């Protein structure tokens, strides 16, 4: 697995999609909790972490295996 800005529009690996979705879901839960508890700084922090984390997962791509062309 490798990370690069050029990989943004390429398919994201399944593992990274799961991590990004879990991060986004947890940050939404924590944002709701922090709003109820009137902790504005925590709400903004959770929103930022979830959004940036989900966005960053788009930069990952599976490394392509080198095909054996029969040269030995």
């Amino acid at each position: 697995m490798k990370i690069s800005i050029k990989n943004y529009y390429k398919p994201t690996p399944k593992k990274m999609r799961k991590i990004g979705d879990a991060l986004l879901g947890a940050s939404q839960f924590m944002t709701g909790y922090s709003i109820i508890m009137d902790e504005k700084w925590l709400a903004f922090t959770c929103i930022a972490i979830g959004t940036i984390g989900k966005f960053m997962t788009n930069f990952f791509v599976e490394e392509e295996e080198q095909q054996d062309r029969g040269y030995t």
Side-chain angles (χ1 to χ4, degrees):
M1 192 175 316
K2 60 183 192 176
I3 185 169
S4 174
I5 292 175
K6 296 177 184 178
N7 297 333
Y8 186 79
Y9 292 108
K10 293 182 181 177
T12 305
K14 190 174 185 178
K15 181 179 179 181
M16 294 310 296
R17 281 197 319 263
K18 286 182 179 182
I19 291 172
D21 291 343
L23 183 62
L24 189 58
S27 72
Q28 289 176 347
F29 175 77
M30 289 301 297
T31 299
Y33 173 77
S34 60
I35 289 171
I36 291 171
M37 293 295 151
D38 200 29
E39 297 285 341
K40 292 181 183 179
W41 67 271
L42 184 59
F44 287 120
T45 303
C46 290
I47 289 172
I49 289 172
T51 304
I52 292 169
K54 179 66 176 165
F55 178 74
M56 290 296 292
T57 61
N58 288 335
F59 294 113
F60 285 91
V61 69
E62 287 287 340
E63 290 186 73
E64 297 176 7
E65 294 181 16
Q66 296 291 329
Q67 292 181 352
D68 185 16
R69 305 215 184 235
Y71 304 116
T72 54

